[in-house]
Amino acid sequence: MGVMFENEKAAPSDMQTYQICTVGSSGQQGVIMATVASPSGLQGSMYIGEEVTRKREIRLLKNREAARECRRKKKEYVKCLENRVTVLEKQNKTLIEELKGLKDMYCNKAE
DNA sequence: GTTTTAACACGTCAACTGGT
DNA sequence: ACCAGTTGACGTGTTAAAAC
């Protein structure tokens, strides 16, 4: 019972260590820079400006998705820990009962 | 029915890390 | 040194439940 996490053995505080499964990305962007001939260079700088904007948009998009994935993993990790707590509490209860039984047995024998 | 509150999800930024 | 990925922190929007 209880779902086991891939890297559960890792230190609890170590958030970097949960299982990482990267979905293969098809995103591919080739960067084309400059080479716009214009006397004033204005068009060129506009082009570069657009390029900067485009790069920023790509970065934001990637980070947006990364954040979503990061949260998903964290949630899963927490759920896993909670499951583990449940299991260990149950186990602890059983062991306490067992110990109690053994103690009783021992006392009865001693009399 | 309206307002308030708590919980949750999201997007963004900044700092850090590991790979090249 | 640079770049891409990861994640904590923060602000914001949404929604369900509680209080009025």
Side-chain angles (χ1 to χ4, degrees):
Chain A
M1 216 241 262
V3 193
M4 277 301 176
F5 226 70
E6 184 90 333
N7 296 332
E8 217 194 354
K9 43 210 172 282
S13 60
D14 190 357
M15 297 295 271
Q16 300 260 46
T17 56
Y18 0 121
Q19 177 190 25
I20 295 165
C21 57
T22 334
V23 181
S25 79
S26 55
Q28 173 152 337
Q29 84 266 15
V31 182
I32 322 127
M33 265 321 233
T35 65
V36 177
S38 85
S40 62
L42 187 66
Q43 273 186 2
S45 59
M46 272 174 70
Y47 183 80
I48 289 169
E50 280 171 20
E51 190 61 26
V52 169
T53 308
R54 196 181 70 86
K55 275 190 177 175
R56 176 183 151 78
E57 271 165 8
I58 289 170
R59 186 167 47 79
L60 287 181
L61 179 72
K62 275 191 176 178
N63 188 243
R64 201 176 300 147
E65 281 163 6
R68 224 176 280 155
E69 175 68 6
C70 179
R71 286 183 183 119
R72 191 193 63 75
K73 277 195 290 180
K74 187 173 180 178
K75 216 172 157 188
E76 203 175 312
Y77 176 67
V78 168
K79 201 189 277 178
C80 177
L81 285 182
E82 284 170 350
N83 285 343
R84 188 136 176 76
V85 167
T86 308
V87 168
L88 288 175
E89 276 175 351
K90 213 181 264 181
Q91 206 174 337
N92 198 32
K93 225 176 194 175
T94 308
L95 287 171
I96 286 171
E97 286 303 313
E98 196 181 324
L99 179 63
K100 208 172 144 193
L102 288 171
K103 271 183 179 171
D104 284 350
M105 226 166 77
Y106 179 76
C107 287
N108 289 339
K109 248 188 183 172
E111 281 169 14

